[in-house]
Amino acid sequence: MQFTKMLIPVVSSFALTFIVMPLFIGYFRMKKEGQVIREEGPSWHEKKSGTPTMGGLVFLIASVISTIWVSLWQHQMTLSSWITLFILVLYGSLGFMDDSIKLFEKRNLGLRAWQKLLGQIIGGVIFLIVYVHEGFPLSINVLGLGSLHLGVLYLLFVLFWLVGFSNAVNLTDGLDGLVAGTAAIAFATYAIIAQHEGRTDILIFCLTILGGLIAFFWFNHKPAKIFMGDVGSLALGGALAAVSILLHRELSLLLIGLIFVIETASVMIQVSVFHLTGKRVFKMTPIHHHFEMLGWSEWRVVLTFWAFSLVCSILYLSLFL
């Protein structure tokens, strides 16, 4: 795909997000609706209470519109394009319901965990039906060592991958600009991989997400004018997993998305050790809060995590592309 054509999905999604976002923020401010900061979080985050949220809705809609029109225009709209958009929209819808309950019904925990999990699994099953229908291999590409055929176990792996990374990115979304930057780096990396493998359908999708995230960051950097919300983070995580599967580079996400893995692992370690010993390994989890409690500024944490994600992505491309 030519460089000029690659700019079109980025610019389209960027422009739509950049134009609509101020209107979206203005609407929430007019209604005086905003994020309620949980009491167990760092005390200095309390000043963020009241900041508009659900900004992910804007860049998701921009990405969907841009993916469809660019793909149709370039005759690259495939079943893989549709099923990736499906995961993006369905997981985003779950996040939208979760955010709406928190925001408008003043229930800080949103959807019940089982409700969210059920929706994610249903989405994963539909994804698998399309995946099997398309005749994609039931095997994992083991980072340059060949394919490991799993048969029916691969279906369980896909469900775990989609649900796991959707929730992992959601856990990471706790600081201004953190997920916007780390997810942008991940999607840019998969765009490079898709271009290298001639998967123009996946390339267009990744580029539209990238454009939307760049525009969103303009409003989400510290001090954030709007938060992403679960509508954005759940969708981004599911989409990253879907892209890694459709490119048949599933395990690449363990390195490209290592920051999301570490964030999730910190929570699991903290909970497990506390239940066993009554002691805490980290000052607070997810781990980005641990560094804040150590005295790091929010910008320092965010920039460090971005740099870490960038190094991981460059490492993957250098070793396995």
Side-chain angles (χ1 to χ4, degrees):
M1 189 176 182
Q2 296 176 344
F3 179 74
T4 52
K5 286 188 175 182
M6 289 172 62
L7 286 177
I8 294 172
V10 177
V11 172
S12 173
S13 187
F14 177 92
L16 287 173
T17 303
F18 198 80
I19 292 169
V20 175
M21 192 66 76
L23 304 176
F24 193 78
I25 294 171
Y27 172 80
F28 271 84
R29 286 179 175 169
M30 181 181 68
K31 294 293 185 179
K32 297 183 178 179
E33 297 285 359
Q35 179 76 48
V36 177
I37 303 301
R38 297 176 66 177
E39 294 181 358
E40 58 266 34
S43 59
W44 52 89
H45 281 205
E46 292 176 4
K47 62 184 178 182
K48 298 183 180 185
S49 188
T51 301
T53 187
M54 298 171 67
L57 180 64
V58 178
F59 70 71
L60 289 185
I61 293 174
S63 299
V64 170
I65 292 172
S66 298
T67 297
I68 292 173
W69 87 257
V70 173
S71 296
L72 290 175
W73 172 56
Q74 297 189 12
H75 305 290
Q76 295 294 336
M77 199 70 193
T78 65
L79 201 52
S80 292
S81 304
W82 287 115
I83 194 58
T84 312
L85 286 173
F86 169 77
I87 290 295
L88 187 78
V89 171
L90 177 62
Y91 282 31
S93 298
L94 291 171
F96 178 81
M97 289 187 284
D98 195 44
D99 288 332
S100 298
I101 292 170
K102 295 175 185 176
L103 193 61
F104 302 116
E105 297 184 19
K106 309 303 180 185
R107 269 174 45 193
N108 198 40
L109 294 179
L111 285 175
R112 301 285 188 266
W114 69 267
Q115 294 172 321
K116 196 181 300 183
L117 179 61
L118 179 62
Q120 290 170 321
I121 290 175
I122 290 173
V125 169
I126 295 173
F127 178 90
L128 279 169
I129 291 172
V130 174
Y131 185 91
V132 173
H133 176 267
E134 287 294 278
F136 290 122
L138 301 182
S139 59
I140 295 176
N141 189 340
V142 188
L143 299 179
L145 299 177
S147 294
L148 176 63
H149 186 74
L150 295 179
V152 70
L153 291 179
Y154 184 79
L155 307 182
L156 297 177
F157 167 81
V158 168
L159 290 178
F160 171 76
W161 219 236
L162 290 168
V163 174
F165 273 97
S166 176
N167 292 321
V169 175
N170 182 238
L171 281 174
T172 307
D173 186 27
L175 301 179
D176 296 352
L178 179 56
V179 165
T182 51
I185 291 168
F187 277 104
T189 305
Y190 280 115
I192 293 171
I193 295 171
Q195 167 72 358
H196 180 265
E197 298 190 352
R199 291 296 304 274
T200 308
D201 51 350
I202 302 300
L203 171 62
I204 292 172
F205 175 80
C206 291
L207 292 176
T208 62
I209 297 290
L210 178 61
L213 284 172
I214 294 171
F216 174 71
F217 176 70
W218 182 269
F219 306 95
N220 182 240
H221 67 76
K222 183 176 174 62
K225 297 179 179 67
I226 190 166
F227 297 140
M228 181 179 294
D230 290 358
V231 61
S233 57
L234 287 175
L236 290 174
L240 277 173
V243 165
S244 72
I245 293 165
L246 291 172
L247 289 175
H248 197 42
R249 289 177 179 258
E250 301 88 347
L251 298 186
S252 65
L253 200 47
L254 291 177
L255 186 53
I256 295 171
L258 183 56
I259 199 69
F260 308 127
V261 176
I262 292 172
E263 292 270 24
T264 305
S266 70
V267 175
M268 295 172 66
I269 292 169
Q270 184 88 321
V271 172
S272 299
V273 172
F274 185 78
H275 279 312
L276 290 173
T277 67
K279 297 181 179 180
R280 289 178 170 84
V281 177
F282 306 101
K283 292 181 178 293
M284 186 178 292
T285 56
I287 199 169
H288 54 257
H289 289 319
H290 171 78
F291 289 104
E292 283 192 290
M293 299 295 284
L294 289 176
W296 288 29
S297 69
E298 188 167 349
W299 259 124
R300 182 183 176 186
V301 177
V302 170
L303 291 175
T304 301
F305 280 35
W306 285 0
F308 180 81
S309 294
L310 183 59
V311 169
C312 289
S313 291
I314 292 173
L315 184 62
Y316 179 84
L317 293 174
S318 300
L319 294 175
F320 303 109
L321 189 55

